[in-house]
Amino acid sequence: MGKALVTYFSASGVTKRVAEKLASVAEAELFEIHPEKKYTGQDLNWTDRNSRSSVEMNDRSSRPAISSRIDNISQYSHVFVGFPVWWYREPSIIDTFMEMYDFSNITVIPFCTSGGSGIGDSGRNMQNLASGAKVLSGKRLTANMSIEELKRWIDEVVDE
Ligand SMILES: Cc1cc2nc3c(=O)[nH]c(=O)nc-3n(C[C@H](O)[C@H](O)[C@H](O)COP(=O)(O)O)c2cc1C
């Protein structure tokens, strides 16, 4: 593996903690994807059809703005992209992220946290938005994964 980056979006801190652990095990740099407009508790209410997250996730063309930008992404050979599963897939802000950069020659490795759902079609969705990238199907990670388990997964994906 060349230089690696772990980047993530986290609305309530779970993915953030997993991303920090992953970056430390992978000896990767860490970068948070900040929404221009932070998600409030009400925004995240999935039982409300009119909440911000419901409205965004019901519109495949939704692209919530990002206020943080990675310098020179081409320096990385592997970019891990983490997010919470929202409605069985990547949040729309991850679609914004995938369209922001030229991922040529970069292997993108999705990872997620969730209440139980797997990562689903997120990898395929992300691949469709990233010209030139190689996007793997990725994996759901949990906060209690051991360092050995994380190491094993990292070794697996960097060989793909
Ligand atoms: C709008 C919304 C939709 C969600 N949809 C799912 C889902 O489809 N399946 C699931 O297992 N968890 C779902 N969750 C739970 C989150 O994936 C889970 O709590 C995640 O670990 C939160 O990560 P974060 O703290 O980094 O934001 C959803 C949460 C929200 C706010």
Side-chain angles (χ1 to χ4, degrees):
M1 178 163 65
K3 207 170 165 189
L5 176 72
V6 172
T7 184
Y8 65 94
F9 162 66
S10 181
S12 59
V14 178
T15 310
K16 182 188 178 82
R17 284 193 290 282
V18 170
E20 285 167 352
K21 191 162 166 184
L22 179 63
S24 127
V25 176
E27 295 177 7
E29 289 175 20
L30 188 64
F31 185 87
E32 181 165 5
I33 299 169
H34 287 288
E36 208 163 272
K37 195 168 157 266
K38 217 171 165 329
Y39 288 82
T40 64
Q42 184 48 43
D43 289 342
L44 299 174
N45 183 359
W46 64 81
T47 66
D48 176 0
R49 286 193 310 128
N50 296 313
S51 74
R52 179 182 171 194
S53 57
S54 298
V55 170
E56 287 177 1
M57 298 308 286
N58 278 322
D59 174 7
R60 292 305 301 229
S61 67
S62 167
R63 296 289 184 274
I66 292 173
S67 63
S68 50
R69 191 167 181 97
I70 296 163
D71 289 332
N72 189 16
I73 201 161
S74 63
Q75 67 186 296
Y76 302 105
S77 67
H78 292 78
V79 175
F80 292 83
V81 180
F83 48 86
V85 167
W86 283 4
W87 294 106
Y88 309 103
R89 66 172 182 94
E90 79 289 359
S92 303
I93 195 167
I94 294 298
D95 298 345
T96 309
F97 176 82
M98 294 307 293
E99 288 180 344
M100 266 175 92
Y101 301 95
D102 176 2
F103 289 99
S104 302
N105 304 314
I106 296 173
T107 301
V108 174
I109 306 139
F111 67 97
C112 70
T113 68
S114 79
S117 302
I119 199 158
D121 287 335
S122 305
R124 202 177 326 147
N125 299 336
M126 290 160 70
Q127 175 74 81
N128 287 336
L129 299 171
S131 50
K134 176 180 173 188
V135 183
L136 306 185
S137 49
K139 190 182 170 72
R140 172 176 183 258
L141 304 180
T142 60
N144 62 9
M145 269 175 93
S146 68
I147 287 170
E148 287 66 34
E149 279 176 289
L150 279 173
K151 269 196 180 133
R152 218 174 303 132
W153 178 64
I154 293 163
D155 287 345
E156 239 172 67
V157 291
V158 300
D159 285 347
E160 273 187 48

